[in-house]
């Protein structure tokens, strides 16, 4: 029998796609004793999320050291003019393209480890549940496809591709060491970023699914959900539901950047604004335009909005308030006038993201739904955050990702040059881990106005892409061109990135305000958090940790 690595696969209690992979391992175990099968079943229990070989499910190594990558596609496939496709979450993925990317990733790693031309990698597509009708459009050579019609012949096909009597490659032993050790410890970051997004979307979509099944009248639902629990998905899906039914819908949040972000993912028919944008628009339409040149312009605007007569076209069937923890109680009555008599009102908030320390808005008579599970951030990162913010904050881990290892880099307080250099090193570290520049968000703990990085155009070779403070004629935010995003924690609320660099972290004491800011910034990360902190802040974290 072939050697299977890891070797405890028969003891796994698998469900879903992993069950099919265990069945495949049973077939591959029939290979001769001098063949080795490396598999990712341990990391693929949820929709292929933790494959240590990028998206390759199995890697078979012959006695010679020749490698065969087996891409398994369980379930139903579709044959289209563009090739064989697999549907994931209503999105079609070309199977041949996925296999090619897997091979490219492995070739890149092998070349770096062993040198070009010192190894051979073959490919095989395995479809245990589907019979390919027209293999000419599959995008994979017919001889390299094992479908449902001949799945029992999988071991024989593998032996044809990996002959037992081939001379041994010089790199054979190193290939085994590489697959058994290095890849098992170092996932292909670039390949996992897309998987992470897909997994987080799928898992956190639970809130968007069952919250929308609630029925009561009048519909007034307050959702108190932690960061990464799926509040944004819920809001977007509620908007889509309303538009599909021909209803008018208004989404209102506190931060302008969040409104800008939601506008990109929401249906075009939905009205999106932050509270002051909305106030200005309604007041202007009612013949009472705001004057932002006057002192206390925003307070005046809020009062004006609360008292103007609301035009009919500013009333809606569905009203969604996001970032409710940042709203004032007085705003509730002002907003209520925009909701039609039989309308539905959703209120989404997270008390831990109340960075302005405002009193909770009283909503008497409303139904409250609580969700304390974060599906966005890695489990070990959430454990780290819990130690910082305290156990009294309910924060459950729902992400399948673990072992991200929070990184900490320090600088001397008040030394601008050290802050810049430490942040530069953090970007370099992120890139060395396999993250692309577009996967990285640098978030300042000090805010846009107080950050020393705001005046910096680039850090080493990395140009910073940051908000200029202005908007174009269409109301879109204008950014200075750059490769790596620089934002403040306040402006990045409601958004996320695979790798977050939380920089300029400095405070006199790790009080509630500092803990909340850290919570908001840290929970933006879906895969990796790198903290650039002053020596005193790092010491406070260590003592809390």
């Amino acid at each position: 029998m072939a050697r299977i690595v890891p070797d405890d696969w028969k003891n796994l209690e698998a469900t879903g796609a992993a069950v099919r992979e265990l069945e495949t391992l049973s077939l591959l175990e029939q290979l001769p004793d001098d063949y080795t099968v490396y598999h990712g079943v341990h990391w693929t229990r949820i929709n292929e999320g933790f494959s240590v070989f990028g998206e390759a499910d199995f890697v078979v190594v012959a006695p010679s050291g020749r490698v065969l990558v087996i891409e398994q596609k369980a379930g139903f496939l579709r044959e289209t003019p563009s090739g064989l496709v697999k549907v994931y979450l209503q999105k079609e993925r070309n199977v041949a393209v996925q296999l090619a990317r897997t091979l490219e990733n492995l070739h890149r790693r092998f070349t770096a480890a062993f040198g070009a031309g010192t190894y051979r990698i073959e490919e095989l597509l395995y479809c245990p549940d589907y019979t390919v009708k027209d293999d000419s459009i599959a995008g994979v050579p017919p001889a390299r496809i094992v479908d449902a019609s001949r799945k029992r012949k999988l071991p024989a096909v593998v032996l044809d591709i990996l002959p037992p009597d081939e001379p041994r490659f010089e790199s054979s032993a190193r290939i085994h060491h590489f697959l058994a050790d290095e890849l098992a410890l170092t996932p292909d970051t670039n390949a996992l970023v897309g998987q992470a997004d897909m997994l987080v979307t799928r898992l956190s979509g639970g809130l968007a699914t069952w919250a929308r099944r609630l029925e009561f009248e009048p519909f007034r639902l307050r959702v108190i959900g932690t960061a990464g629990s799926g509040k944004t998905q819920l809001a977007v899906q509620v908007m889509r539901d309303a538009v599909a039914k021909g209803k008018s819908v208004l989404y209102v949040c506190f931060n302008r950047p969040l409104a800008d972000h939601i506008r990109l993912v929401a249906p075009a028919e939905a009205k999106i604004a932050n509270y002051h944008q909305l106030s200005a628009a309604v007041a202007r339409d009612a013949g009472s335009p705001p004057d932002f040149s006057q002192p206390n312009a925003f307070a005046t605007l809020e009062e004006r909005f609360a008292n103007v007569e609301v035009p009919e076209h500013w009333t809606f069937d569905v009203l969604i308030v996001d970032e409710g923890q940042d709203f004032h109680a007085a705003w509730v009555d002002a907003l209520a006038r925009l909701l039609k008599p039989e309308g539905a009102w959703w209120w989404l908030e997270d008390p831990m993201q109340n960075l302005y320390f405002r009193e909770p808005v009283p909503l008497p008579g409303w139904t409250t739904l609580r969700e304390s599970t974060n599906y966005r951030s890695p489990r070990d990162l959430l454990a780290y955050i819990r130690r910082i913010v305290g156990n009294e904050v309910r924060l459950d881990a729902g992400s399948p990702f673990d072992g991200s290892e929070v990184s900490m880099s320090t600088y001397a307080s008040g030394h601008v040059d050290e802050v810049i250099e430490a942040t530069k090193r953090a970007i370099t570290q992120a890139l060395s881990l396999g993250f692309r520049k577009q996967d990285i968000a640098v978030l300042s703990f000090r805010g846009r106005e107080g950050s020393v990085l705001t005046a910096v155009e680039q850090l080493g070779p990395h140009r910073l892409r940051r908000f200029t403070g202005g908007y174009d004629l269409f109301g879109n935010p204008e950014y200075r061109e750059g490769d790596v995003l620089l934002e403040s924690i306040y402006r990045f609320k409601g958004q996320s990135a695979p790798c977050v660099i939380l920089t300029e972290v400095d405070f006199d004491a790790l009080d509630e305000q500092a803990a909340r800011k850290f919570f908001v910034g840290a929970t933006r990360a879906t895969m990796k958090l790198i903290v650039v902190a002053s020596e005193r802040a790092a010491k406070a974290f260590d003592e809390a940790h």
Side-chain angles (χ1 to χ4, degrees):
M1 293 189 299
R3 175 173 172 248
I4 308 293
V5 180
D7 60 4
D8 62 343
W9 60 280
K10 291 183 179 179
N11 298 321
L12 291 176
E13 295 181 4
T15 60
V19 173
R20 311 297 286 129
E21 294 182 5
L22 292 179
E23 294 171 358
T24 304
L25 283 176
S26 296
L27 287 173
L28 294 175
E29 192 182 33
Q30 299 173 21
L31 293 169
D33 295 349
D34 46 0
Y35 283 73
T36 304
V37 180
Y38 297 90
H39 67 98
V41 171
H42 286 281
W43 299 270
T44 56
R45 292 183 183 173
I46 305 178
N47 203 26
E48 302 177 326
F50 277 118
S51 175
V52 293
F53 308 112
E55 293 183 355
D57 298 302
F58 309 94
V59 177
V60 183
V61 182
S64 64
R66 186 184 292 265
V67 171
L68 172 65
V69 174
I70 301 179
E71 186 84 13
Q72 175 167 307
K73 296 299 177 187
F76 181 74
L77 304 176
R78 291 186 59 233
E79 296 181 46
T80 71
S82 60
L84 194 63
V85 300
K86 173 76 174 176
V87 179
Y88 296 101
L89 302 178
Q90 300 180 341
K91 291 185 178 181
E92 292 186 345
R93 307 286 186 183
N94 187 289
V95 171
V97 171
Q98 287 184 301
L99 180 55
R101 287 175 178 167
T102 298
L103 293 172
E104 179 185 358
N105 287 333
L106 203 54
H107 270 295
R108 187 176 68 248
R109 286 175 173 267
F110 273 33
T111 298
F114 315 123
T118 63
Y119 62 88
R120 288 294 300 274
I121 298 178
E122 311 291 343
E123 79 274 11
L124 179 68
L125 174 62
Y126 181 46
C127 315
D129 305 314
Y130 183 80
T131 300
V132 179
K133 301 176 182 63
D134 185 359
D135 52 24
S136 65
I137 68 167
V140 179
R144 296 299 175 91
I145 300 175
V146 175
D147 62 11
S149 67
R150 58 178 192 143
K151 63 181 180 181
R152 293 299 168 189
K153 297 181 180 180
L154 178 63
V157 175
V158 171
L159 288 175
D160 287 340
I161 299 172
L162 302 178
D165 53 356
E166 185 180 31
R168 183 182 295 270
F169 290 92
E170 290 185 4
S171 59
S172 176
R174 288 188 294 153
I175 286 174
H176 281 286
H177 182 272
F178 185 86
L179 291 172
D181 294 334
E182 292 192 31
L183 273 181
L185 296 173
T186 311
D188 189 314
T189 304
N190 196 17
L192 286 179
V193 166
Q195 290 280 14
D197 289 342
M198 185 171 66
L199 281 165
V200 170
T201 299
R202 179 182 180 184
L203 293 171
S204 59
L207 177 62
T209 298
W210 50 264
R212 288 161 42 236
R213 294 174 180 169
L214 298 174
E215 295 182 4
F216 44 86
E217 292 184 3
F219 191 93
R220 302 289 186 272
L221 182 62
R222 182 178 206 157
V223 179
I224 302 176
T226 191
S229 61
K231 296 188 298 297
T232 297
Q233 285 178 257
L234 173 60
V236 172
Q237 194 57 57
V238 169
M239 285 186 270
R240 289 174 179 166
D241 290 346
V243 170
K245 295 175 182 177
K247 295 183 177 182
S248 56
V249 57
L250 170 65
Y251 170 95
V252 188
C253 60
F254 181 78
N255 270 321
R256 172 70 183 266
L258 179 57
D260 295 334
H261 171 69
I262 292 295
R263 194 173 289 111
L264 298 176
V265 297
E269 298 86 349
K271 187 70 176 179
I272 312 293
N274 78 340
Y275 186 79
H276 291 106
Q277 282 179 302
L278 174 68
S279 301
V282 174
R284 190 178 295 111
D285 276 9
S288 184
D291 184 357
F292 291 107
S293 65
Q294 297 298 314
N296 301 316
F298 285 99
T300 301
L301 173 61
E302 292 169 15
E303 183 179 357
R304 187 170 299 179
F305 170 57
N307 291 290
V308 298
E309 184 175 346
V310 176
E312 177 63 25
H313 64 273
W314 277 106
T315 59
F316 298 86
D317 298 303
V318 179
L319 172 58
I320 304 168
V321 170
D322 201 354
E323 298 184 303
Q325 74 279 350
D326 295 328
F327 278 52
H328 292 288
W331 295 358
V332 175
D333 290 338
L335 286 170
R337 300 174 307 141
L338 276 60
L339 188 64
K340 293 181 179 179
E342 303 299 322
W345 195 344
W346 298 73
W347 186 283
L348 315 178
E349 64 180 35
D350 178 8
M352 273 303 295
Q353 297 190 60
N354 181 4
L355 299 182
Y356 304 100
F357 286 83
R358 290 174 180 161
E359 290 296 321
V361 173
L363 297 174
W366 284 51
T367 299
T368 299
L369 186 156
R370 299 179 185 273
E371 176 55 84
S372 60
T373 303
N374 176 311
Y375 298 97
R376 176 197 297 149
S377 305
R379 291 173 176 269
D380 63 313
L381 171 55
L382 291 181
Y384 186 93
I385 293 172
R386 278 194 292 268
R387 288 189 284 268
I388 300 300
V389 302
N391 292 327
E392 64 274 9
V393 176
R394 180 73 183 273
L395 184 61
D396 301 320
S399 170
F401 290 90
D402 202 353
S404 67
E405 297 183 0
V406 176
S407 299
M408 181 76 69
S409 178
T410 62
Y411 62 89
S413 301
H415 289 67
V416 174
D417 291 343
E418 288 194 23
V419 174
I420 293 174
E421 285 301 314
T423 307
K424 186 194 306 182
R425 289 195 303 271
I427 296 175
T428 301
Q429 179 187 355
L431 294 172
S432 70
L433 292 172
F435 292 102
R436 300 166 299 176
K437 291 185 178 181
Q438 60 264 38
D439 298 327
I440 302 169
V442 179
L443 305 183
S444 172
F445 201 78
R446 294 177 58 85
R448 193 172 70 88
E449 301 298 330
S451 172
V452 300
L453 298 175
T454 302
V456 177
E457 291 190 5
Q458 64 183 63
L459 294 174
H462 316 301
R463 293 182 302 158
L464 295 178
R465 178 176 177 265
R466 64 169 178 81
F467 177 54
T468 63
Y471 293 84
D472 63 20
L473 294 176
F474 300 98
N476 299 312
E478 295 179 327
Y479 284 84
R480 186 175 63 187
E481 290 188 8
D483 307 311
V484 178
L485 178 66
L486 171 65
E487 277 286 14
S488 70
I489 291 175
Y490 291 87
R491 284 184 49 84
F492 206 64
K493 284 173 60 181
Q495 303 179 62
S496 63
C499 179
V500 167
I501 297 173
L502 195 54
T503 189
E504 297 184 284
V505 179
D506 187 29
F507 43 76
D508 294 324
L510 184 54
D511 55 15
E512 187 176 1
Q513 182 175 18
R516 285 191 186 184
K517 285 179 68 175
F518 179 80
F519 173 89
V520 173
T523 53
R524 302 306 99 195
T526 63
M527 293 183 68
K528 179 70 176 180
L529 175 67
I530 302 174
V531 181
V532 179
S534 67
E535 292 173 348
R536 62 180 180 179
K539 181 180 179 182
F541 284 144
D542 287 341
E543 291 173 351
H545 191 262

